[in-house]
Amino acid sequence: MNGGWAMIPLALLSLAGIYIFVERYLTLKKAAKNPEGFNDRIKSMVLAGDINGAKMLCAQTNTPVSRMISKGITRIGHPLKNIETSIENQGKIEISRLEKNLAALATVAGAAPMLGFLGTVTGMIAAFIAIAQAEGSVSPKLLSSGIYQAMVTTAAGLIIGLPAYVGYNYLVSKIDSIVHSMEYSSIEFLDLLQEPQL
């Protein structure tokens, strides 16, 4: 608390950043887990005409990829363009779910250092006010509290902001990987519907 008032919002930002990162990390880890051979099983079921079995497999899997494929399976029999549109729309919904709270983590990464610098400025102002009010010689002890506050808030802001920034970029890369997998699966499914057997 020697860092002054700025340490309270910095502590809140720190807790928010940790919570958002852990929650998103666990969500993305779960979303990235597509069972081995899922696409192959869907393909064989659709080719065999077992549409209900394919729907059940998608419902049991419960990942962004399976929800997209499930949306496409429910549209089988409609024009291919309609199927493609429904898969794309579901894909947008899934991406929006994956990116939930990511902007808040980016805000933590940007706001924490700025808040730290604001604490630095107020600390230096306090130090200069103390100098102005002092009569006679200025002792180092008089300056130390303001400078101490200034340095602590700067360090705290950077200590919170840097991990939040790294965490944000890590989560973005995980989302990109999941989106790539979603695109690959949807293209594979649409190609399957255009095969001569159907």
Side-chain angles (χ1 to χ4, degrees):
M1 291 310 296
N2 290 332
W5 64 269
M7 295 303 287
I8 296 169
L10 281 170
L12 295 174
L13 283 175
S14 175
L15 292 172
I18 291 167
Y19 171 78
I20 293 166
F21 177 80
V22 171
E23 186 270 334
R24 282 294 90 195
Y25 174 78
L26 295 174
T27 301
L28 295 176
K29 190 177 179 184
K30 186 180 174 185
K33 280 187 177 177
N34 227 27
E36 191 71 32
F38 172 77
N39 288 344
D40 292 334
R41 288 175 68 190
I42 290 290
K43 182 175 182 177
S44 61
M45 284 178 173
V46 171
L47 288 174
D50 186 8
I51 304 302
N52 288 331
K55 284 180 187 175
M56 282 179 62
L57 178 60
C58 288
Q60 290 166 1
T61 307
N62 197 27
T63 63
V65 170
S66 69
R67 286 191 287 271
M68 277 177 57
I69 300 301
S70 177
K71 186 63 77 172
I73 289 169
T74 58
R75 297 289 190 274
I76 288 177
H78 291 80
L80 192 65
K81 188 66 182 171
N82 291 1
I83 298 171
E84 188 177 350
T85 302
S86 67
I87 290 174
E88 281 176 8
N89 291 339
Q90 184 64 35
K92 288 174 187 173
I93 292 167
E94 295 301 331
I95 291 168
S96 176
R97 284 178 185 161
L98 294 174
E99 291 177 344
K100 182 185 173 188
N101 291 333
L102 218 56
L105 186 58
T107 302
V108 170
M114 286 195 288
L115 196 55
F117 291 137
L118 179 60
T120 300
V121 171
T122 56
M124 294 307 290
I125 288 170
F128 283 115
I129 288 171
I131 292 169
Q133 291 174 345
E135 293 178 7
S137 61
V138 178
S139 67
K141 189 176 180 183
L142 189 65
L143 294 173
S144 63
S145 63
I147 294 170
Y148 182 73
Q149 177 184 326
M151 295 300 102
V152 167
T153 54
T154 301
L158 292 171
I159 287 167
I160 295 163
L162 287 172
Y165 180 71
V166 172
Y168 171 80
N169 284 313
Y170 173 77
L171 293 176
V172 166
S173 70
K174 290 279 285 181
I175 289 171
D176 286 343
S177 174
I178 294 167
V179 168
H180 176 73
S181 174
M182 288 164 61
E183 288 172 349
Y184 175 80
S185 295
S186 63
I187 290 166
E188 200 173 56
F189 179 73
L190 290 168
D191 286 345
L192 165 66
L193 296 182
Q194 296 179 75
E195 286 186 10
Q197 295 96 312
L198 294 173

